Structures are given as structure tokens and as C-alpha cells.
Amino acid sequence: MRDAAKSAGFGPKEVAAPDFVTRSRRGNGDFLPVGESAPPRETRAKSAAGVKQLEAELDASRQRNEVRGRDAAKVGGAVKPPAPPQAPSN
């Protein structure tokens, strides 16, 4: 039914994917069959030292964001909101 309506010109028109989309897709585009494992990944897990370094970087980033948040709260608390608009009387 859908194919007949589509061939008659009803329904949305098919649009070709942009070039960057077609280049980023895999060749076959098929899903893995049930029970088949995914191919092994090219990247390995981080070492314990790498995990510690990443945790330190994330903690430093969190601390910077907390300081920025406190500064923004101070500035935001000093600004008074504008008065609500007055409706014109007729």
C-alpha cells in the first residue's frame, strides 16, 4: 500500500544524504547478527596511571567551574530584576 502511494507521488520525497553523512557511514551498514560479537576495538583501556591523571584533570576542571559559578552567583545577586511592564490604561 505504502509503495503504491509512494509511486503515485503521494508522501514525502526522498532526499539524498549530504556528502559528509555518506562519507562517515560504513560500507555495508548492516547490523551485527544476534550472537555474534563485535570486532575488537583498536584502542586499549587506560592504565592506572592514566586513570589517575584523568581524575586529577577532571577534579581541577570541577574546581575551576565551581569558582566561576560562585563568581557568577555574586554578580547575579547584585543585579536587580527589572520592574514588570505596566499595562496601558484605556
Side-chain angles (χ1 to χ4, degrees):
M1 184 81 168
R2 181 177 19 163
D3 293 336
K6 194 173 186 181
S7 65
F10 296 105
K13 305 239 185 304
E14 288 193 32
V15 178
D19 289 337
F20 71 92
V21 173
T22 55
R23 285 192 309 253
S24 65
R25 291 182 179 164
R26 288 189 232 155
N28 59 4
D30 294 333
F31 292 98
L32 288 175
V34 174
E36 185 176 318
S37 297
R41 295 181 181 227
E42 296 176 8
T43 57
R44 294 185 178 191
K46 288 188 177 285
S47 64
V51 170
K52 293 285 184 189
Q53 180 184 4
L54 179 60
E55 286 177 352
E57 290 173 7
L58 290 173
D59 284 337
S61 177
R62 178 183 50 81
Q63 290 172 356
R64 283 192 306 272
N65 287 336
E66 287 176 352
V67 168
R68 289 178 184 164
R70 283 192 296 270
D71 291 343
K74 289 177 189 174
V75 170
V79 175
K80 294 182 182 178
Q86 298 294 325
S89 58
N90 290 338

